[in-house]
Amino acid sequence: MQRLARTSKLVRMLVGAEGQILNMGRAVRLATTAQRQALMARYATCYCEGCPIPADMSEIDHVKGWVDDGVTDLDELAPACTWHNRDKAAPARYTVRRNDDSTWTLIHLGRKGRYANRFRC
């Protein structure tokens, strides 16, 4: 028992009314099925402003990137289409806004150069 206590790691988890795990902290990187279902109820489309890709065809994105110590908690996740999930890695192009209803919006700041009008939602 003492060895188990010394070698184990404590993880704080928020559990929904029916026992679904909603907050995982940094214990796991990928969203749970319950988190995905909750996000589909909150978002109709990709969280990038103006993007028409349906949320159920999107990937689950950490609003604060996993590599930047983001957590796999329901209030820190949002659906992002494949394009925006990859493209937002260029921080100079996007900013994120927390909405009054606790959802997130990814805002495209615009592009400069000859490809300025491509890949717009």
Side-chain angles (χ1 to χ4, degrees), residues 15-51:
V15 180
E18 295 180 13
Q20 319 94 319
I21 299 172
L22 300 177
N23 287 0
M24 294 294 298
R26 288 200 51 86
V28 296
R29 186 176 70 82
L30 300 177
T32 65
T33 301
Q35 287 172 321
R36 289 173 186 278
Q37 290 171 341
L39 289 168
M40 295 309 115
R42 296 177 82 187
Y43 294 87
T45 63
C46 167
Y47 80 120
C48 186
E49 189 171 52
C51 183

Side-chain angles (χ1 to χ4, degrees), residues 22-23 26 28 48 50 59 62 71 74 79 84 90 100-101 109 116:
L22 300 177
N23 287 0
R26 288 200 51 86
V28 296
C48 186
E59 302 168 353
H62 290 84
V71 293
L74 185 60
H84 288 115
D100 292 338
D101 62 357
L109 299 175

